[in-house]
Amino acid sequence: MRAGRRDRPVQFLRAARIDDGLQSRPGPFLPFGGVVMAGKTPVRDRERYDADTVMRDVTDRFIVEWSELTARLTGADRLDCEGTLYAILGIKEIGRREGFEITAGWITP
């Protein structure tokens, strides 16, 4: 896999569903699965400039190994890395069942 060191613990979060009998809507984000080790790299300035025309908040990339948990991630999930909350903006598969490259942007409180 083309990832560097996977030395950052990350926790994925998924919105709980709230069903009041009339409708089902997203609720608070809760931990989804266990902690996963990931490699974190910042997006380079040139890539950030190029991406600004499409996605303004691209900030970091995370590389994680393929697992049943990571294969179920979607763009609606979030990622917590060392206390910083990220929205998942894109997920690319690396190889066949080797890993995933997750592009994420900071969520400001």
Side-chain angles (χ1 to χ4, degrees):
M1 187 184 329
R2 63 182 181 139
R5 293 187 332 220
R6 286 181 297 279
D7 59 351
R8 310 278 177 120
V10 298
Q11 174 70 61
F12 295 106
L13 307 168
R14 180 164 280 177
R17 301 301 297 173
I18 297 175
D19 188 351
D20 62 6
L22 298 175
Q23 66 179 349
S24 178
R25 64 188 193 294
F29 281 87
L30 301 173
F32 174 64
V35 173
V36 175
M37 297 306 287
K40 177 183 171 188
T41 56
V43 173
R44 294 187 302 258
D45 290 338
R46 179 63 193 180
E47 288 178 282
R48 191 178 307 223
Y49 176 77
D50 291 342
D52 195 30
T53 59
V54 180
M55 294 184 261
R56 177 169 295 278
D57 298 325
V58 175
T59 57
D60 292 307
R61 285 202 183 93
F62 296 88
I63 305 290
V64 295
E65 286 187 18
W66 188 96
S67 69
E68 293 292 329
L69 169 67
T70 57
R72 295 189 325 225
L73 294 174
T74 69
D77 297 326
R78 294 195 175 165
L79 182 149
D80 181 356
C81 179
E82 300 173 333
T84 303
L85 196 58
Y86 293 87
I88 295 176
L89 303 173
I91 303 171
K92 287 192 306 190
E93 188 173 8
I94 301 171
R96 178 153 171 75
R97 290 190 167 199
E98 287 184 41
F100 293 98
E101 178 184 280
I102 300 170
T103 305
W106 292 330
I107 297 176
T108 53

